[in-house]
Amino acid sequence: MKNPRIVVDRTKLRENISFIVAKLKEHDLTITAVTKVFNAYSQIIALYEEFSDIIYFGDSRIENLMSYSHSKKQKILIRIPMISEVPEVIQYADISFNSELKTIQLLDCEAQKQKKLHKIVLMVDLGDLREGFFEKEELFDCIREVMKLKNIQIYGLAVNLTCYGAIIPSSKNLGNLVAIQEEIKERFDLSLEMISGGNSSSLYLLDSPEDQLPSGINNLRIGESFVLGRETAYGADYQVMHQDVFTLVTEIVEVKQKPSYPIGEIGVDAFGKKPHYVDKGKMLRGIVAIGQQDIALDDITPKDSQIEILGASSDHLLLDLTQSEREYQVGDEIEFSVSYGSVLSTFTSKYIKKEFIN
Ligand SMILES: *Cc1c(COP(=O)(O)O)cnc(C)c1O
């Protein structure tokens, strides 16, 4: 049993990692390799381990940090911890991103129990309106309290942009982060190790003719750029990188000539939505064995550009094969290129096999 499967080209991924690592090093930035997009899959983790310039592994799920607990890299929980996972955070994360004093105080209690010094990075919200301290005074009040805790070290500040609010990183907003750091140094006599200026959407600032990454930012957290070969502020591909590290391969289970317009009264589809159809006459329809349980329709593109995706239920993906030059048969494979969402979901789905080439 080999289908459906996601195929990973190791050589291409290695070259991508190499390119980004060199780029960040050139700008004196430390690197947090974010592992959530490929579900911290062990064979991919092994590739990242080859790069000693990657100092940190970051993930939003504690289960993923647990899966590489043997790694020598420093492990960062990059999502604000749940209070209910505090024991695991102390056990498996060297560093966690935080924005709630109550949670930090509980981390301190647990760190004391486990006889550990736990590092925290405080999240600052610079306008994307996802996580982090929005009011500077609240951040300073928190720092004042955290400095009383014995088993917590304030390791740095971080911002996350282009996630909820789709806000583009700039010298202006990231400059605020650097300014806050300087104010902390003055007020509390506290030097911070890590000033983390965002994710793959901050990378464009390293090459931008109009704007730049403010000095003072010394770390970026990169997930998508490594695996898909592009920066994510404007979605520009890096010409020298590979955008096709991953290929999704599916298998045809039915090919038949059928009408394009369903017959009978139209109610709601498998997901409770009322669909609209265009009558294009008879068409050659193919079904491949994958569905919305594994991927979102917008996140995959057939490599054969003459194939059109018609729709999907949870386990059947319907394709219009009418225009294709190839004569597809039952049992044939159909390949798709993938985007961020489908890499994430195919690595999460137990039904999608993982294959490594090169
Ligand atoms: C997911 C995530 C990242 C990585 O983002 P990419 O766009 O994949 O580079 C970095 N930081 C945080 C807090 C995240 O949640």
Side-chain angles (χ1 to χ4, degrees):
M1 206 164 59
K2 61 171 183 177
N3 286 329
R5 65 189 199 274
I6 182 100
V7 181
V8 185
D9 187 318
R10 272 204 206 88
T11 303
K12 288 180 178 171
L13 181 53
R14 201 179 268 121
E15 286 173 9
N16 278 5
I17 299 172
S18 199
F19 175 80
I20 295 286
V21 164
K23 193 177 194 55
L24 267 66
K25 205 178 170 188
E26 194 186 311
H27 289 83
D28 289 324
L29 294 163
T30 62
I31 307 161
T32 303
V34 175
T35 57
K36 66 189 183 198
V37 61
F38 49 87
N39 204 8
Y41 201 77
S42 63
Q43 276 145 290
I44 300 185
I45 289 293
L47 278 183
Y48 282 77
E49 290 279 13
E50 293 172 14
F51 293 84
S52 58
D53 286 319
I54 296 175
I55 302 177
Y56 307 98
F57 275 159
D59 207 293
S60 47
R61 312 275 173 164
I62 198 78
E63 291 88 342
N64 288 350
L65 297 186
M66 286 160 104
S67 75
Y68 49 72
S69 58
H70 54 276
S71 171
K72 297 269 189 298
K73 311 246 186 242
Q74 290 204 60
K75 291 158 220 86
I76 313 181
L77 183 68
I78 61 173
R79 182 175 67 190
I80 313 300
M82 293 182 271
I83 284 177
S84 59
E85 66 182 348
V86 158
E88 289 82 5
V89 176
I90 296 299
Q91 191 174 353
Y92 294 101
D94 302 293
I95 304 167
S96 61
F97 283 9
N98 283 275
S99 65
E100 290 287 354
L101 181 59
K102 182 177 172 189
T103 309
I104 299 168
Q105 287 167 333
L106 291 168
L107 287 168
D108 178 60
C109 288
E110 182 64 31
Q112 206 168 339
K113 254 192 230 165
Q114 296 189 26
K115 298 190 173 53
K116 284 189 167 173
L117 180 68
H118 184 73
K119 297 172 187 159
I120 61 165
V121 168
L122 294 168
M123 294 302 286
V124 180
D125 191 331
L126 297 177
D128 201 57
L129 305 185
R130 202 176 77 173
E131 75 274 46
F133 289 92
F134 190 73
E135 301 294 343
K136 205 164 64 173
E137 284 311 316
E138 192 198 341
L139 170 67
F140 292 160
D141 290 345
C142 177
I143 291 175
R144 199 168 297 117
E145 291 305 309
V146 174
M147 287 178 78
K148 298 175 188 162
L149 306 176
K150 290 207 172 59
N151 294 66
I152 297 289
Q153 178 195 344
I154 304 175
Y155 190 68
L157 297 179
V159 64
N160 199 61
L161 293 163
T162 342
C163 266
Y164 172 74
I167 298 302
I168 303 280
S170 65
S171 56
K172 188 154 180 275
N173 52 29
L174 293 177
N176 282 338
L177 190 69
V178 177
I180 292 171
Q181 177 226 332
E182 283 159 4
E183 205 170 331
I184 290 171
K185 192 170 166 53
E186 253 174 46
R187 276 212 197 188
F188 301 98
D189 192 25
L190 184 66
S191 312
L192 301 176
E193 185 96 8
M194 174 185 279
I195 307 299
S196 187
N199 54 45
S200 299
S201 69
S202 294
L203 274 177
Y204 88 96
L205 286 170
L206 304 179
D207 305 303
S208 169
E210 285 109 40
D211 204 0
Q212 57 190 18
L213 195 72
S215 65
I217 300 291
N218 64 13
N219 173 274
L220 292 180
R221 310 177 306 272
I222 306 296
E224 178 164 350
S225 290
F226 280 129
V227 293
L228 293 178
R230 61 158 177 263
E231 62 79 29
T232 60
Y234 299 100
D237 290 345
Y238 285 109
Q239 294 308 317
V240 293
M241 291 184 81
H242 305 283
Q243 286 76 44
D244 58 349
V245 169
F246 300 98
T247 305
L248 177 64
V249 184
T250 62
E251 186 174 321
I252 300 178
V253 293
E254 180 186 296
V255 188
K256 287 191 195 306
Q257 287 279 354
K258 292 189 192 181
S260 47
Y261 199 85
I263 294 111
E265 187 193 348
I266 294 177
V268 293
D269 68 12
F271 295 99
K273 301 222 165 65
K274 192 159 182 105
H276 298 279
Y277 302 101
V278 183
D279 193 349
K280 298 182 188 168
K282 279 219 161 192
M283 55 166 63
L284 187 66
R285 300 166 71 98
I287 301 177
V288 292
I290 193 169
Q292 297 206 52
Q293 186 170 3
D294 316 289
I295 40 95
L297 293 183
D298 293 342
D299 287 331
I300 60 170
T301 312
K303 291 212 170 180
D304 178 344
S305 61
Q306 292 164 318
I307 294 179
E308 197 191 322
I309 295 177
L310 292 168
S313 58
S314 51
D315 39 27
H316 294 67
L317 175 64
L318 303 177
L319 305 172
D320 178 1
L321 306 175
T322 317
Q323 304 301 326
S324 181
E325 278 152 33
R326 250 186 82 178
E327 276 187 35
Y328 288 102
Q329 314 274 327
V330 114
D332 283 354
E333 291 182 342
I334 293 191
E335 295 188 347
F336 296 85
S337 49
V338 289
S339 65
Y340 185 84
S342 44
V343 176
L344 193 65
S345 65
T346 52
F347 272 90
T348 308
S349 172
K350 70 170 181 178
Y351 303 105
I352 311 285
K353 283 80 183 169
K354 284 81 188 170
E355 185 189 2
F356 287 80
I357 57 167
N358 299 329

